[in-house]
PDB file of all heavy atoms in Angstrom:
ATOM      1  N   PRO A   1     -39.944  21.938  20.030  1.00 96.00           N
ATOM      2  CA  PRO A   1     -39.603  23.250  19.596  1.00 96.00           C
ATOM      3  C   PRO A   1     -38.749  23.985  20.691  1.00 96.00           C
ATOM      4  O   PRO A   1     -37.747  24.748  20.265  1.00 96.00           O
ATOM      5  CB  PRO A   1     -40.925  23.913  19.406  1.00 96.00           C
ATOM      6  CG  PRO A   1     -41.832  22.826  19.060  1.00 96.00           C
ATOM      7  CD  PRO A   1     -41.440  21.692  19.853  1.00 96.00           C
ATOM      8  N   ARG A   2     -38.989  23.843  21.934  1.00 95.00           N
ATOM      9  CA  ARG A   2     -38.144  24.422  23.008  1.00 95.00           C
ATOM     10  C   ARG A   2     -36.738  24.030  22.932  1.00 95.00           C
ATOM     11  O   ARG A   2     -35.807  24.749  23.114  1.00 95.00           O
ATOM     12  CB  ARG A   2     -38.842  24.385  24.327  1.00 95.00           C
ATOM     13  CG  ARG A   2     -40.144  25.119  24.396  1.00 95.00           C
ATOM     14  CD  ARG A   2     -40.697  25.054  25.877  1.00 95.00           C
ATOM     15  NE  ARG A   2     -39.889  25.818  26.835  1.00 95.00           N
ATOM     16  CZ  ARG A   2     -40.090  27.060  26.987  1.00 95.00           C
ATOM     17  NH1 ARG A   2     -40.867  27.841  26.319  1.00 95.00           N
ATOM     18  NH2 ARG A   2     -39.201  27.662  27.976  1.00 95.00           N
ATOM     19  N   SER A   3     -36.652  22.680  22.819  1.00 96.00           N
ATOM     20  CA  SER A   3     -35.265  22.189  22.752  1.00 96.00           C
ATOM     21  C   SER A   3     -34.542  22.586  21.483  1.00 96.00           C
ATOM     22  O   SER A   3     -33.271  22.850  21.657  1.00 96.00           O
ATOM     23  CB  SER A   3     -35.344  20.632  22.827  1.00 96.00           C
ATOM     24  OG  SER A   3     -35.704  20.082  24.138  1.00 96.00           O
ATOM     25  N   ALA A   4     -35.180  22.640  20.449  1.00 96.00           N
ATOM     26  CA  ALA A   4     -34.656  23.144  19.206  1.00 96.00           C
ATOM     27  C   ALA A   4     -34.114  24.521  19.434  1.00 96.00           C
ATOM     28  O   ALA A   4     -32.923  24.844  18.971  1.00 96.00           O
ATOM     29  CB  ALA A   4     -35.619  23.118  18.018  1.00 96.00           C
ATOM     30  N   ARG A   5     -34.809  25.393  20.069  1.00 95.00           N
ATOM     31  CA  ARG A   5     -34.469  26.791  20.296  1.00 95.00           C
ATOM     32  C   ARG A   5     -33.344  26.806  21.263  1.00 95.00           C
ATOM     33  O   ARG A   5     -32.314  27.498  21.079  1.00 95.00           O
ATOM     34  CB  ARG A   5     -35.618  27.651  20.742  1.00 95.00           C
ATOM     35  CG  ARG A   5     -35.336  29.108  21.255  1.00 95.00           C
ATOM     36  CD  ARG A   5     -34.869  29.901  20.051  1.00 95.00           C
ATOM     37  NE  ARG A   5     -35.900  30.080  19.073  1.00 95.00           N
ATOM     38  CZ  ARG A   5     -36.763  31.089  19.141  1.00 95.00           C
ATOM     39  NH1 ARG A   5     -36.775  31.939  20.039  1.00 95.00           N
ATOM     40  NH2 ARG A   5     -37.717  31.196  18.135  1.00 95.00           N
ATOM     41  N   GLU A   6     -33.388  26.059  22.320  1.00 95.00           N
ATOM     42  CA  GLU A   6     -32.417  26.168  23.447  1.00 95.00           C
ATOM     43  C   GLU A   6     -31.038  25.568  22.970  1.00 95.00           C
ATOM     44  O   GLU A   6     -29.997  26.108  23.264  1.00 95.00           O
ATOM     45  CB  GLU A   6     -32.854  25.342  24.572  1.00 95.00           C
ATOM     46  CG  GLU A   6     -31.900  25.391  25.814  1.00 95.00           C
ATOM     47  CD  GLU A   6     -32.393  24.740  27.099  1.00 95.00           C
ATOM     48  OE1 GLU A   6     -33.662  24.349  26.982  1.00 95.00           O
ATOM     49  OE2 GLU A   6     -31.753  24.758  28.104  1.00 95.00           O
ATOM     50  N   PHE A   7     -30.979  24.486  22.148  1.00 96.00           N
ATOM     51  CA  PHE A   7     -29.788  23.787  21.881  1.00 96.00           C
ATOM     52  C   PHE A   7     -29.475  23.864  20.391  1.00 96.00           C
ATOM     53  O   PHE A   7     -28.507  23.138  19.959  1.00 96.00           O
ATOM     54  CB  PHE A   7     -30.005  22.248  22.232  1.00 96.00           C
ATOM     55  CG  PHE A   7     -30.291  22.052  23.621  1.00 96.00           C
ATOM     56  CD1 PHE A   7     -31.554  21.438  24.032  1.00 96.00           C
ATOM     57  CD2 PHE A   7     -29.397  22.370  24.680  1.00 96.00           C
ATOM     58  CE1 PHE A   7     -31.837  21.282  25.250  1.00 96.00           C
ATOM     59  CE2 PHE A   7     -29.678  22.177  26.050  1.00 96.00           C
ATOM     60  CZ  PHE A   7     -31.078  21.597  26.337  1.00 96.00           C
ATOM     61  N   ASP A   8     -30.100  24.830  19.689  1.00 95.00           N
ATOM     62  CA  ASP A   8     -29.831  25.042  18.254  1.00 95.00           C
ATOM     63  C   ASP A   8     -29.840  23.749  17.440  1.00 95.00           C
ATOM     64  O   ASP A   8     -28.991  23.340  16.734  1.00 95.00           O
ATOM     65  CB  ASP A   8     -28.429  25.751  18.135  1.00 95.00           C
ATOM     66  CG  ASP A   8     -28.205  26.255  16.716  1.00 95.00           C
ATOM     67  OD1 ASP A   8     -29.199  26.498  15.990  1.00 95.00           O
ATOM     68  OD2 ASP A   8     -27.064  26.321  16.245  1.00 95.00           O
ATOM     69  N   ALA A   9     -30.960  22.948  17.671  1.00 95.00           N
ATOM     70  CA  ALA A   9     -31.185  21.676  17.066  1.00 95.00           C
ATOM     71  C   ALA A   9     -32.397  21.845  16.036  1.00 95.00           C
ATOM     72  O   ALA A   9     -32.971  22.898  15.960  1.00 95.00           O
ATOM     73  CB  ALA A   9     -31.454  20.601  18.029  1.00 95.00           C
ATOM     74  N   THR A  10     -32.598  20.805  15.254  1.00 95.00           N
ATOM     75  CA  THR A  10     -33.710  20.826  14.315  1.00 95.00           C
ATOM     76  C   THR A  10     -34.977  20.153  14.931  1.00 95.00           C
ATOM     77  O   THR A  10     -34.866  18.991  15.324  1.00 95.00           O
ATOM     78  CB  THR A  10     -33.346  20.129  13.000  1.00 95.00           C
ATOM     79  OG1 THR A  10     -32.167  20.777  12.405  1.00 95.00           O
ATOM     80  CG2 THR A  10     -34.508  20.044  12.003  1.00 95.00           C
ATOM     81  N   CYS A  11     -35.934  20.834  14.976  1.00 96.00           N
ATOM     82  CA  CYS A  11     -37.263  20.422  15.634  1.00 96.00           C
ATOM     83  C   CYS A  11     -37.895  19.217  14.689  1.00 96.00           C
ATOM     84  O   CYS A  11     -37.900  19.477  13.409  1.00 96.00           O
ATOM     85  CB  CYS A  11     -38.162  21.434  15.805  1.00 96.00           C
ATOM     86  SG  CYS A  11     -39.886  20.911  16.340  1.00 96.00           S
ATOM     87  N   ASN A  12     -38.327  18.110  15.213  1.00 96.00           N
ATOM     88  CA  ASN A  12     -38.918  17.164  14.376  1.00 96.00           C
ATOM     89  C   ASN A  12     -40.370  16.898  14.980  1.00 96.00           C
ATOM     90  O   ASN A  12     -40.960  15.764  14.781  1.00 96.00           O
ATOM     91  CB  ASN A  12     -38.090  15.791  14.325  1.00 96.00           C
ATOM     92  CG  ASN A  12     -37.745  15.199  15.638  1.00 96.00           C
ATOM     93  OD1 ASN A  12     -38.313  15.613  16.756  1.00 96.00           O
ATOM     94  ND2 ASN A  12     -36.874  14.260  15.665  1.00 96.00           N
ATOM     95  N   GLY A  13     -40.942  17.855  15.536  1.00 95.00           N
ATOM     96  CA  GLY A  13     -42.380  17.843  15.907  1.00 95.00           C
ATOM     97  C   GLY A  13     -42.671  16.957  17.176  1.00 95.00           C
ATOM     98  O   GLY A  13     -43.858  16.756  17.393  1.00 95.00           O
ATOM     99  N   ALA A  14     -41.725  16.832  18.046  1.00 96.00           N
ATOM    100  CA  ALA A  14     -41.919  16.193  19.289  1.00 96.00           C
ATOM    101  C   ALA A  14     -42.640  17.179  20.308  1.00 96.00           C
ATOM    102  O   ALA A  14     -42.612  18.396  20.199  1.00 96.00           O
ATOM    103  CB  ALA A  14     -40.680  15.714  19.949  1.00 96.00           C
ATOM    104  N   ASP A  15     -43.570  16.439  21.121  1.00 94.00           N
ATOM    105  CA  ASP A  15     -44.258  17.320  22.138  1.00 94.00           C
ATOM    106  C   ASP A  15     -43.084  17.770  23.316  1.00 94.00           C
ATOM    107  O   ASP A  15     -41.964  17.224  23.195  1.00 94.00           O
ATOM    108  CB  ASP A  15     -45.235  16.392  22.902  1.00 94.00           C
ATOM    109  CG  ASP A  15     -46.471  16.152  21.893  1.00 94.00           C
ATOM    110  OD1 ASP A  15     -46.727  17.061  21.090  1.00 94.00           O
ATOM    111  OD2 ASP A  15     -47.046  15.252  21.942  1.00 94.00           O
ATOM    112  N   ASP A  16     -43.572  18.458  24.141  1.00 94.00           N
ATOM    113  CA  ASP A  16     -42.592  19.089  25.188  1.00 94.00           C
ATOM    114  C   ASP A  16     -41.986  17.919  25.896  1.00 94.00           C
ATOM    115  O   ASP A  16     -40.810  18.177  26.470  1.00 94.00           O
ATOM    116  CB  ASP A  16     -43.335  20.005  26.124  1.00 94.00           C
ATOM    117  CG  ASP A  16     -43.538  21.425  25.416  1.00 94.00           C
ATOM    118  OD1 ASP A  16     -42.955  21.709  24.383  1.00 94.00           O
ATOM    119  OD2 ASP A  16     -44.300  22.153  25.977  1.00 94.00           O
ATOM    120  N   ASP A  17     -42.613  16.903  26.309  1.00 95.00           N
ATOM    121  CA  ASP A  17     -42.011  15.861  27.097  1.00 95.00           C
ATOM    122  C   ASP A  17     -41.047  14.900  26.289  1.00 95.00           C
ATOM    123  O   ASP A  17     -40.190  14.151  26.945  1.00 95.00           O
ATOM    124  CB  ASP A  17     -43.085  14.899  27.710  1.00 95.00           C
ATOM    125  CG  ASP A  17     -43.913  14.156  26.785  1.00 95.00           C
ATOM    126  OD1 ASP A  17     -43.671  14.221  25.560  1.00 95.00           O
ATOM    127  OD2 ASP A  17     -44.930  13.618  27.198  1.00 95.00           O
ATOM    128  N   GLU A  18     -40.998  15.100  24.931  1.00 97.00           N
ATOM    129  CA  GLU A  18     -40.088  14.394  24.097  1.00 97.00           C
ATOM    130  C   GLU A  18     -40.134  12.895  24.352  1.00 97.00           C
ATOM    131  O   GLU A  18     -38.993  12.127  24.280  1.00 97.00           O
ATOM    132  CB  GLU A  18     -38.542  14.913  24.238  1.00 97.00           C
ATOM    133  CG  GLU A  18     -38.568  16.420  23.730  1.00 97.00           C
ATOM    134  CD  GLU A  18     -37.257  17.055  23.880  1.00 97.00           C
ATOM    135  OE1 GLU A  18     -36.370  16.579  24.641  1.00 97.00           O
ATOM    136  OE2 GLU A  18     -36.998  18.119  23.140  1.00 97.00           O
ATOM    137  N   ARG A  19     -41.283  12.342  24.561  1.00 97.00           N
ATOM    138  CA  ARG A  19     -41.482  10.886  24.660  1.00 97.00           C
ATOM    139  C   ARG A  19     -42.045  10.331  23.359  1.00 97.00           C
ATOM    140  O   ARG A  19     -42.842  11.033  22.790  1.00 97.00           O
ATOM    141  CB  ARG A  19     -42.444  10.553  25.827  1.00 97.00           C
ATOM    142  CG  ARG A  19     -41.808  10.838  27.232  1.00 97.00           C
ATOM    143  CD  ARG A  19     -42.762  10.167  28.296  1.00 97.00           C
ATOM    144  NE  ARG A  19     -42.377  10.529  29.591  1.00 97.00           N
ATOM    145  CZ  ARG A  19     -43.047  10.127  30.707  1.00 97.00           C
ATOM    146  NH1 ARG A  19     -44.112   9.270  30.560  1.00 97.00           N
ATOM    147  NH2 ARG A  19     -42.598  10.536  31.970  1.00 97.00           N
ATOM    148  N   PRO A  20     -41.658   9.109  22.994  1.00 97.00           N
ATOM    149  CA  PRO A  20     -42.414   8.611  21.822  1.00 97.00           C
ATOM    150  C   PRO A  20     -43.905   8.368  22.128  1.00 97.00           C
ATOM    151  O   PRO A  20     -44.170   7.948  23.229  1.00 97.00           O
ATOM    152  CB  PRO A  20     -41.647   7.338  21.587  1.00 97.00           C
ATOM    153  CG  PRO A  20     -40.935   6.878  22.792  1.00 97.00           C
ATOM    154  CD  PRO A  20     -40.726   8.272  23.530  1.00 97.00           C
ATOM    155  N   ALA A  21     -44.699   8.694  21.250  1.00 96.00           N
ATOM    156  CA  ALA A  21     -46.164   8.490  21.346  1.00 96.00           C
ATOM    157  C   ALA A  21     -46.559   7.180  20.530  1.00 96.00           C
ATOM    158  O   ALA A  21     -47.785   6.729  20.682  1.00 96.00           O
ATOM    159  CB  ALA A  21     -46.904   9.670  20.738  1.00 96.00           C
ATOM    160  N   ALA A  22     -45.701   6.713  19.709  1.00 97.00           N
ATOM    161  CA  ALA A  22     -46.004   5.534  18.803  1.00 97.00           C
ATOM    162  C   ALA A  22     -44.796   4.637  18.553  1.00 97.00           C
ATOM    163  O   ALA A  22     -44.460   4.525  17.426  1.00 97.00           O
ATOM    164  CB  ALA A  22     -46.745   5.954  17.495  1.00 97.00           C
ATOM    165  N   ALA A  23     -44.150   4.193  19.486  1.00 98.00           N
ATOM    166  CA  ALA A  23     -42.893   3.407  19.371  1.00 98.00           C
ATOM    167  C   ALA A  23     -43.331   2.016  18.803  1.00 98.00           C
ATOM    168  O   ALA A  23     -44.176   1.327  19.441  1.00 98.00           O
ATOM    169  CB  ALA A  23     -42.175   3.250  20.671  1.00 98.00           C
ATOM    170  N   CYS A  24     -42.621   1.736  17.764  1.00 98.00           N
ATOM    171  CA  CYS A  24     -42.934   0.457  17.032  1.00 98.00           C
ATOM    172  C   CYS A  24     -41.578  -0.293  17.039  1.00 98.00           C
ATOM    173  O   CYS A  24     -40.614   0.100  16.368  1.00 98.00           O
ATOM    174  CB  CYS A  24     -43.468   0.583  15.680  1.00 98.00           C
ATOM    175  SG  CYS A  24     -45.145   1.282  15.681  1.00 98.00           S
ATOM    176  N   VAL A  25     -41.567  -1.540  17.743  1.00 98.00           N
ATOM    177  CA  VAL A  25     -40.385  -2.463  17.708  1.00 98.00           C
ATOM    178  C   VAL A  25     -40.536  -3.310  16.467  1.00 98.00           C
ATOM    179  O   VAL A  25     -41.507  -4.040  16.298  1.00 98.00           O
ATOM    180  CB  VAL A  25     -40.306  -3.248  18.962  1.00 98.00           C
ATOM    181  CG1 VAL A  25     -39.059  -4.034  19.012  1.00 98.00           C
ATOM    182  CG2 VAL A  25     -40.267  -2.268  20.240  1.00 98.00           C
ATOM    183  N   ALA A  26     -39.456  -3.357  15.685  1.00 98.00           N
ATOM    184  CA  ALA A  26     -39.565  -4.197  14.417  1.00 98.00           C
ATOM    185  C   ALA A  26     -39.484  -5.635  14.895  1.00 98.00           C
ATOM    186  O   ALA A  26     -38.713  -6.095  15.693  1.00 98.00           O
ATOM    187  CB  ALA A  26     -38.324  -3.921  13.566  1.00 98.00           C
ATOM    188  N   PRO A  27     -40.357  -6.536  14.191  1.00 98.00           N
ATOM    189  CA  PRO A  27     -40.362  -7.868  14.461  1.00 98.00           C
ATOM    190  C   PRO A  27     -39.021  -8.612  14.132  1.00 98.00           C
ATOM    191  O   PRO A  27     -38.225  -8.037  13.311  1.00 98.00           O
ATOM    192  CB  PRO A  27     -41.510  -8.443  13.705  1.00 98.00           C
ATOM    193  CG  PRO A  27     -42.284  -7.280  13.156  1.00 98.00           C
ATOM    194  CD  PRO A  27     -41.405  -6.126  13.145  1.00 98.00           C
ATOM    195  N   GLY A  28     -38.805  -9.807  14.611  1.00 98.00           N
ATOM    196  CA  GLY A  28     -37.673 -10.510  14.285  1.00 98.00           C
ATOM    197  C   GLY A  28     -38.030 -11.807  13.416  1.00 98.00           C
ATOM    198  O   GLY A  28     -38.967 -11.631  12.498  1.00 98.00           O
ATOM    199  N   THR A  29     -37.382 -12.875  13.540  1.00 97.00           N
ATOM    200  CA  THR A  29     -37.610 -14.010  12.713  1.00 97.00           C
ATOM    201  C   THR A  29     -38.063 -15.319  13.424  1.00 97.00           C
ATOM    202  O   THR A  29     -38.376 -16.307  12.842  1.00 97.00           O
ATOM    203  CB  THR A  29     -36.278 -14.447  12.004  1.00 97.00           C
ATOM    204  OG1 THR A  29     -35.373 -14.673  12.966  1.00 97.00           O
ATOM    205  CG2 THR A  29     -35.868 -13.221  11.048  1.00 97.00           C
ATOM    206  N   LEU A  30     -38.104 -15.288  14.763  1.00 98.00           N
ATOM    207  CA  LEU A  30     -38.649 -16.301  15.538  1.00 98.00           C
ATOM    208  C   LEU A  30     -40.123 -16.609  15.332  1.00 98.00           C
ATOM    209  O   LEU A  30     -40.833 -15.639  15.657  1.00 98.00           O
ATOM    210  CB  LEU A  30     -38.319 -16.082  17.040  1.00 98.00           C
ATOM    211  CG  LEU A  30     -38.838 -17.231  17.963  1.00 98.00           C
ATOM    212  CD1 LEU A  30     -38.171 -18.564  17.830  1.00 98.00           C
ATOM    213  CD2 LEU A  30     -38.667 -16.743  19.457  1.00 98.00           C
ATOM    214  N   PRO A  31     -40.590 -17.658  14.905  1.00 98.00           N
ATOM    215  CA  PRO A  31     -42.034 -17.851  14.659  1.00 98.00           C
ATOM    216  C   PRO A  31     -42.799 -17.752  16.006  1.00 98.00           C
ATOM    217  O   PRO A  31     -42.363 -18.445  16.961  1.00 98.00           O
ATOM    218  CB  PRO A  31     -42.083 -19.202  14.092  1.00 98.00           C
ATOM    219  CG  PRO A  31     -40.887 -19.545  13.425  1.00 98.00           C
ATOM    220  CD  PRO A  31     -39.751 -18.804  14.266  1.00 98.00           C
ATOM    221  N   ALA A  32     -43.729 -16.969  15.980  1.00 96.00           N
ATOM    222  CA  ALA A  32     -44.509 -16.746  17.297  1.00 96.00           C
ATOM    223  C   ALA A  32     -44.993 -18.070  17.873  1.00 96.00           C
ATOM    224  O   ALA A  32     -45.069 -18.318  19.099  1.00 96.00           O
ATOM    225  CB  ALA A  32     -45.540 -15.777  17.173  1.00 96.00           C
ATOM    226  N   ALA A  33     -45.389 -18.923  16.950  1.00 95.00           N
ATOM    227  CA  ALA A  33     -45.993 -20.228  17.346  1.00 95.00           C
ATOM    228  C   ALA A  33     -44.976 -21.179  18.010  1.00 95.00           C
ATOM    229  O   ALA A  33     -45.281 -22.087  18.772  1.00 95.00           O
ATOM    230  CB  ALA A  33     -46.676 -20.891  16.151  1.00 95.00           C
ATOM    231  N   ASP A  34     -43.648 -20.946  17.756  1.00 97.00           N
ATOM    232  CA  ASP A  34     -42.596 -21.702  18.367  1.00 97.00           C
ATOM    233  C   ASP A  34     -41.864 -21.018  19.553  1.00 97.00           C
ATOM    234  O   ASP A  34     -40.884 -21.532  19.983  1.00 97.00           O
ATOM    235  CB  ASP A  34     -41.570 -22.021  17.248  1.00 97.00           C
ATOM    236  CG  ASP A  34     -42.150 -22.786  16.153  1.00 97.00           C
ATOM    237  OD1 ASP A  34     -43.186 -23.512  16.388  1.00 97.00           O
ATOM    238  OD2 ASP A  34     -41.546 -22.619  15.021  1.00 97.00           O
ATOM    239  N   ALA A  35     -42.451 -19.872  19.968  1.00 98.00           N
ATOM    240  CA  ALA A  35     -41.781 -19.110  21.017  1.00 98.00           C
ATOM    241  C   ALA A  35     -41.561 -19.952  22.303  1.00 98.00           C
ATOM    242  O   ALA A  35     -40.497 -19.924  22.910  1.00 98.00           O
ATOM    243  CB  ALA A  35     -42.440 -17.831  21.325  1.00 98.00           C
ATOM    244  N   LEU A  36     -42.655 -20.557  22.816  1.00 97.00           N
ATOM    245  CA  LEU A  36     -42.435 -21.409  24.042  1.00 97.00           C
ATOM    246  C   LEU A  36     -41.537 -22.558  23.856  1.00 97.00           C
ATOM    247  O   LEU A  36     -40.808 -22.994  24.737  1.00 97.00           O
ATOM    248  CB  LEU A  36     -43.817 -21.862  24.512  1.00 97.00           C
ATOM    249  CG  LEU A  36     -44.741 -20.889  25.160  1.00 97.00           C
ATOM    250  CD1 LEU A  36     -46.162 -21.436  25.454  1.00 97.00           C
ATOM    251  CD2 LEU A  36     -44.137 -20.419  26.531  1.00 97.00           C
ATOM    252  N   ARG A  37     -41.542 -23.127  22.623  1.00 97.00           N
ATOM    253  CA  ARG A  37     -40.637 -24.249  22.395  1.00 97.00           C
ATOM    254  C   ARG A  37     -39.275 -23.800  22.429  1.00 97.00           C
ATOM    255  O   ARG A  37     -38.289 -24.396  22.904  1.00 97.00           O
ATOM    256  CB  ARG A  37     -41.002 -24.868  21.092  1.00 97.00           C
ATOM    257  CG  ARG A  37     -40.252 -26.138  20.700  1.00 97.00           C
ATOM    258  CD  ARG A  37     -40.712 -26.846  19.446  1.00 97.00           C
ATOM    259  NE  ARG A  37     -42.053 -27.006  19.318  1.00 97.00           N
ATOM    260  CZ  ARG A  37     -42.778 -26.351  18.472  1.00 97.00           C
ATOM    261  NH1 ARG A  37     -42.262 -25.534  17.571  1.00 97.00           N
ATOM    262  NH2 ARG A  37     -44.170 -26.591  18.374  1.00 97.00           N
ATOM    263  N   ALA A  38     -38.998 -22.559  21.838  1.00 98.00           N
ATOM    264  CA  ALA A  38     -37.700 -21.918  21.969  1.00 98.00           C
ATOM    265  C   ALA A  38     -37.163 -21.581  23.367  1.00 98.00           C
ATOM    266  O   ALA A  38     -36.003 -21.628  23.636  1.00 98.00           O
ATOM    267  CB  ALA A  38     -37.645 -20.698  20.966  1.00 98.00           C
ATOM    268  N   LEU A  39     -38.130 -21.213  24.133  1.00 98.00           N
ATOM    269  CA  LEU A  39     -37.862 -21.043  25.547  1.00 98.00           C
ATOM    270  C   LEU A  39     -37.359 -22.211  26.255  1.00 98.00           C
ATOM    271  O   LEU A  39     -36.428 -22.101  27.008  1.00 98.00           O
ATOM    272  CB  LEU A  39     -39.125 -20.402  26.315  1.00 98.00           C
ATOM    273  CG  LEU A  39     -38.918 -20.096  27.728  1.00 98.00           C
ATOM    274  CD1 LEU A  39     -37.905 -19.204  28.218  1.00 98.00           C
ATOM    275  CD2 LEU A  39     -40.329 -19.717  28.368  1.00 98.00           C
ATOM    276  N   ASP A  40     -37.965 -23.332  25.908  1.00 97.00           N
ATOM    277  CA  ASP A  40     -37.669 -24.642  26.508  1.00 97.00           C
ATOM    278  C   ASP A  40     -38.077 -24.580  27.987  1.00 97.00           C
ATOM    279  O   ASP A  40     -39.152 -24.905  28.317  1.00 97.00           O
ATOM    280  CB  ASP A  40     -36.235 -25.075  26.270  1.00 97.00           C
ATOM    281  CG  ASP A  40     -36.008 -26.426  26.635  1.00 97.00           C
ATOM    282  OD1 ASP A  40     -36.782 -27.305  26.706  1.00 97.00           O
ATOM    283  OD2 ASP A  40     -34.705 -26.769  26.849  1.00 97.00           O
ATOM    284  N   THR A  41     -37.154 -24.220  28.753  1.00 98.00           N
ATOM    285  CA  THR A  41     -37.333 -24.203  30.257  1.00 98.00           C
ATOM    286  C   THR A  41     -37.018 -22.881  30.794  1.00 98.00           C
ATOM    287  O   THR A  41     -35.799 -22.404  30.570  1.00 98.00           O
ATOM    288  CB  THR A  41     -36.444 -25.266  31.099  1.00 98.00           C
ATOM    289  OG1 THR A  41     -36.894 -26.640  30.494  1.00 98.00           O
ATOM    290  CG2 THR A  41     -36.696 -25.230  32.442  1.00 98.00           C
ATOM    291  N   GLY A  42     -37.894 -22.230  31.424  1.00 98.00           N
ATOM    292  CA  GLY A  42     -37.653 -20.852  31.969  1.00 98.00           C
ATOM    293  C   GLY A  42     -38.874 -20.239  32.424  1.00 98.00           C
ATOM    294  O   GLY A  42     -40.030 -20.905  32.731  1.00 98.00           O
ATOM    295  N   VAL A  43     -38.968 -18.919  32.286  1.00 98.00           N
ATOM    296  CA  VAL A  43     -40.074 -18.090  32.822  1.00 98.00           C
ATOM    297  C   VAL A  43     -40.740 -17.299  31.580  1.00 98.00           C
ATOM    298  O   VAL A  43     -40.126 -16.747  30.820  1.00 98.00           O
ATOM    299  CB  VAL A  43     -39.678 -17.008  33.768  1.00 98.00           C
ATOM    300  CG1 VAL A  43     -40.796 -16.271  34.332  1.00 98.00           C
ATOM    301  CG2 VAL A  43     -38.932 -17.862  35.089  1.00 98.00           C
ATOM    302  N   ALA A  44     -42.048 -17.490  31.534  1.00 97.00           N
ATOM    303  CA  ALA A  44     -42.876 -16.729  30.564  1.00 97.00           C
ATOM    304  C   ALA A  44     -43.436 -15.560  31.225  1.00 97.00           C
ATOM    305  O   ALA A  44     -44.328 -15.763  32.092  1.00 97.00           O
ATOM    306  CB  ALA A  44     -43.896 -17.584  29.915  1.00 97.00           C
ATOM    307  N   VAL A  45     -43.005 -14.387  30.909  1.00 97.00           N
ATOM    308  CA  VAL A  45     -43.487 -13.129  31.648  1.00 97.00           C
ATOM    309  C   VAL A  45     -44.527 -12.443  30.835  1.00 97.00           C
ATOM    310  O   VAL A  45     -44.292 -12.105  29.625  1.00 97.00           O
ATOM    311  CB  VAL A  45     -42.256 -12.179  31.841  1.00 97.00           C
ATOM    312  CG1 VAL A  45     -42.749 -10.922  32.525  1.00 97.00           C
ATOM    313  CG2 VAL A  45     -41.275 -12.858  32.732  1.00 97.00           C
TER     314      VAL A  45
END
């Protein structure tokens, strides 16, 4: 709301810190069971 007032924008209910509280990354198509096989050689973090 404060940003909406200050910058003449439309409020979408964000908190004052304007951080996402429920960020959801859409899945892709790589089968999870094959992820290490797709990595082949490298680092699993």
Side-chain angles (χ1 to χ4, degrees):
R2 291 185 70 84
S3 290
R5 173 66 63 88
E6 182 175 359
F7 303 114
D8 192 25
T10 300
C11 174
N12 56 13
D15 291 326
D16 282 345
D17 61 8
E18 296 181 339
R19 292 189 189 183
C24 293
V25 182
T29 59
L30 175 64
D34 296 335
L36 281 176
R37 190 179 305 118
L39 173 63
D40 190 23
T41 298
V43 179
V45 178

